[in-house]
Amino acid sequence: MEFEENFVDDDFLKGKCLMNSEVALILQHKYEKMCDEHSTTHVFEKSLQYVKRFSQYNNPHAVTQVRHILSSYPISEVELCVLGNICPKSVEESIAMVQPKGLARLDDEAIKKILTELSLLKKFDM
């Protein structure tokens, strides 16, 4: 990939992608600790607001379940995060979001199953 060739740092390429919901949980935990010490910054608070705004799941259990469900399919970390962040409503939308290779490894039924599972988690996320 051209993107990967532009980075020399192997750690970057081996890093794990996180969904907005996962980042929100991490930052919220850190924020609570920082508030006790009165050491939050404006940038940190804005970052926390951003990921909370775009998080699809709020419940820590739901966030864990989303990661678990998506990890059980042969998709990349980036594809996992795109699906977890955007929560597409249809097979076509899902495929369009993770092109060019995308979800070609999965048939339409598998993608429908993923979307159904994610939809159920979202419905009961509290």
Side-chain angles (χ1 to χ4, degrees):
M1 287 175 103
E2 185 178 314
F3 175 76
E4 290 177 356
E5 293 170 4
N6 292 329
F7 289 93
V8 258
D9 190 352
D10 287 338
D11 289 338
F12 177 82
L13 296 174
K14 294 175 186 171
K16 186 173 185 175
C17 293
L18 295 174
M19 295 178 292
N20 289 335
S21 299
E22 293 170 312
V23 175
L25 290 174
I26 292 166
L27 292 183
Q28 182 63 42
H29 180 71
K30 180 76 173 166
Y31 179 75
E32 290 165 4
K33 284 184 176 181
M34 291 171 75
C35 282
D36 291 342
E37 300 167 5
H38 305 291
S39 63
T40 62
T41 66
H42 179 69
V43 172
F44 184 88
E45 290 175 9
K46 286 290 188 183
S47 299
L48 178 57
Q49 287 174 5
Y50 175 87
V51 292
K52 280 185 170 184
R53 179 177 179 194
F54 293 104
S55 292
Q56 296 292 330
Y57 306 92
N58 300 311
N59 181 313
H61 179 70
V63 174
T64 303
Q65 284 300 108
V66 169
R67 166 83 49 190
H68 178 74
I69 289 166
L70 292 173
S71 294
S72 68
Y73 291 91
I75 59 176
S76 71
E77 283 285 318
V78 172
E79 293 164 343
L80 182 151
C81 288
V82 168
L83 293 174
N85 284 339
I86 298 177
C87 295
K89 304 287 187 255
S90 68
V91 172
E92 294 78 19
E93 185 182 4
S94 301
I95 292 169
M97 294 293 171
V98 291
Q99 288 294 331
K101 294 177 190 173
L103 300 174
R105 295 175 299 284
L106 301 175
D107 60 25
D108 286 0
E109 287 304 312
I111 298 170
K112 282 181 190 176
K113 184 177 178 190
I114 291 171
L115 298 179
T116 300
E117 291 179 83
L118 294 180
S119 175
L120 285 172
L121 277 173
K122 187 148 178 60
K123 184 185 287 187
F124 295 109
D125 180 38
M126 297 181 181

